[in-house]
């Protein structure tokens, strides 16, 4: 109790106020804190300070969020177009305007959201957006030519009924004797479909060709079929529009030449020929007679001329991934070698 302070305060109070003050002092003279109150205060005060700090951090985070969200909302509200997508506001993939307007940040056309109409192509691989999957340029994914494309577009797998007009062609042998050819298959249906594999290539030996010396192998960089396209131009699948085609190229690389026909054998009619056996003389003939009147005394001589190269060829059948169609190409003058073939290539 600070009596000096109380005395100075009492000088400014009236009699009623002094009486009330004394009553209050008397009322609290016996009041004492409960046991453990000090420990409670020691725990409660730091906890209260921590809650205040957390509240301040939350307020700062809320202020930061509002500061970043407001510019985005302003950006969306200033965007043109009737169907602006506010969920992607601020992303670099879309500039002002809705996704259906087809404009990317680099000024090129985009087919995202274009459910109607067509998007004009500005380069190879662009497709019309009319739902038919018609391509206006060469396919992507390293393929060349018109028609198929290696894209992520969705189309059902090509069935045997959708593929046809298959052809197999071969070129003349090059300086090393290798023969190159192409199998081509066309989408003859009215809808787009996806070709999921190159199909299968086999061999069939004919004539003097030796089936045990004929094999097939997938074309890789550095193999003997240097005239085939680089494997990097192949694709794992192709989106084939109606009327478009795909190709599988092959090469016949001989390892041996065809054998030659047999050489001459038997005797000849000159003095070095083998004499014919002396017939047994019949009774009634004179001694020393070699044969009857009709015997010439010389037997028939059997011999063959020295022949040329044996005739051999290799038939190379090809079957599409769907199981049909099937087409074949024939390499003449082939008896032993390797057939190298590529994967899927866009039709040229």
């Amino acid at each position: 109790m600070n009596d000096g302070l109380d005395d100075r305060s009492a000088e400014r109070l009236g009699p009623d106020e002094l009486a009330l003050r004394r009553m209050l002092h008397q009322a609290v003279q016996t009041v004492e804190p409960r046991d453990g109150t000090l420990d409670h205060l020691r725990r409660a005060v730091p906890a209260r300070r921590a809650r205040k700090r957390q509240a301040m951090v939350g307020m700062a985070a809320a202020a930061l969020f509002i500061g970043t969200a407001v510019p985005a909302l302003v950006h969306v509200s200033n965007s043109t177009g009737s169907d602006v997508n506010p969920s992607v506001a601020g992303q670099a993939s879309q500039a002002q305007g809705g996704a259906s307007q087809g404009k990317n940040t680099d000024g090129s056309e985009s087919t995202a959201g274009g459910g109607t109409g067509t998007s004009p192509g500005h380069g190879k691989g662009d497709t019309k957006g009319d739902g038919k999957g018609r391509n206006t340029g060469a396919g992507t994914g390293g393929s060349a030519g018109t028609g198929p494309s290696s894209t992520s577009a969705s189309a059902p797998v090509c069935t045997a009924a959708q593929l046809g007009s298959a052809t197999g062609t071969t070129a003349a042998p090059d300086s090393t004797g290798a023969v190159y050819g192409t199998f081509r298959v066309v989408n003859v249906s009215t809808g787009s479909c996806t070709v999921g594999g190159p199909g299968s290539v086999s061999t069939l030996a004919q004539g003097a060709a030796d089936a045990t010396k004929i094999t097939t192998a997938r074309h890789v960089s550095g193999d003997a079929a240097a005239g085939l396209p680089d494997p990097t131009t192949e694709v794992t699948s192709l989106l084939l529009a109606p009327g478009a085609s795909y190709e599988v190229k092959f090469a016949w690389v001989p390892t041996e030449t065809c054998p030659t026909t047999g050489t001459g054998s038997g005797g000849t009619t000159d003095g070095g020929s083998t004499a014919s056996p002396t017939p047994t003389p019949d009774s009634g003939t004179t001694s020393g007679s070699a044969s009857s009147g009709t015997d010439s005394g010389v037997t028939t001589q059997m011999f063959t001329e020295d022949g040329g190269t044996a005739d051999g060829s290799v038939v190379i059948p090809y079957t599409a991934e769907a199981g049909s169609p099937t087409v074949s190409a024939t390499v003449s003058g082939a008896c032993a070698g390797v057939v190298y073939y590529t994967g899927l290539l866009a039709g040229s």
Side-chain angles (χ1 to χ4, degrees):
M1 299 289 292
N2 193 341
D3 295 336
L5 179 60
D6 291 343
D7 291 341
R8 287 194 298 272
S9 300
E11 294 176 356
R12 302 184 183 90
L13 300 176
D16 296 335
E17 293 175 338
L18 289 174
L20 178 61
R21 182 171 177 272
R22 284 193 299 270
M23 292 175 60
L24 293 175
H25 282 182
Q26 292 174 0
V28 297
Q29 281 181 354
T30 59
V31 175
E32 294 182 358
R34 293 183 303 175
D35 294 339
T37 301
L38 183 59
D39 294 337
H40 172 72
L41 293 175
R42 288 175 178 172
R43 293 191 300 269
V45 171
R48 182 180 179 183
R49 292 175 180 172
R51 287 194 296 271
K52 287 184 177 180
R53 287 195 298 268
Q54 292 174 358
M56 294 179 63
V57 172
M59 293 175 62
L64 178 62
F65 174 77
I66 293 173
T68 56
V70 169
L73 293 175
V74 173
H75 171 78
V76 173
S77 64
N78 291 333
S79 299
T80 60
S82 59
D83 52 353
V84 177
N85 186 2
S87 64
V88 293
Q91 292 186 7
S93 61
Q94 285 190 356
Q96 289 189 356
S100 62
Q101 291 179 330
K103 294 291 185 179
N104 289 331
T105 55
D106 58 356
S108 61
E109 296 291 336
S110 172
T111 57
T116 59
T118 60
S119 60
H122 293 285
K124 294 183 178 181
D126 293 330
T127 60
K128 291 185 177 181
D130 57 359
K132 294 183 180 179
R134 180 176 298 170
N135 292 336
T136 59
T140 59
S143 60
T146 60
S149 59
S150 174
T151 67
S152 59
S154 176
V157 177
C158 294
T159 63
Q162 290 179 288
L163 301 178
S165 300
T167 58
T169 58
T170 57
D174 62 11
S175 58
T176 63
V179 177
Y180 291 88
T182 303
F183 296 116
R184 181 178 290 107
V185 180
V186 181
N187 179 5
V188 296
S189 69
T190 58
S192 299
C193 63
T194 301
V195 181
S200 60
V201 175
S202 57
T203 58
L204 178 63
Q206 291 187 335
D210 188 350
T212 62
K213 297 181 179 181
I214 299 173
T215 58
T216 61
R218 185 68 177 267
H219 171 55
V220 295
S221 297
D223 60 19
L228 290 178
D230 191 272
T232 57
T233 62
E234 302 174 4
V235 293
T236 56
S237 63
L238 287 175
L239 178 62
L240 211 60
S245 64
Y246 75 87
E247 295 177 348
V248 173
K249 295 184 179 293
F250 67 91
W252 163 259
V253 180
T255 55
E256 296 179 17
T257 59
C258 288
T260 58
T261 57
T263 57
S265 62
T268 61
T269 56
D270 56 14
S273 62
T274 303
S276 59
T278 301
T280 303
D282 293 333
S283 58
T285 58
T286 59
S287 174
S289 173
S291 62
S292 63
T294 59
D295 249 331
S296 63
V298 179
T299 61
T300 303
Q301 305 298 309
M302 303 297 293
F303 66 93
T304 59
E305 278 190 273
D306 202 13
T309 303
D311 185 16
S313 61
V314 176
V315 178
I316 307 174
Y318 167 76
T319 304
E321 184 78 6
S324 179
T326 299
V327 67
S328 62
T330 302
V331 180
S332 302
C335 293
V338 181
V339 176
Y340 296 93
Y341 63 97
T342 67
L344 285 175
L345 299 171
S348 56

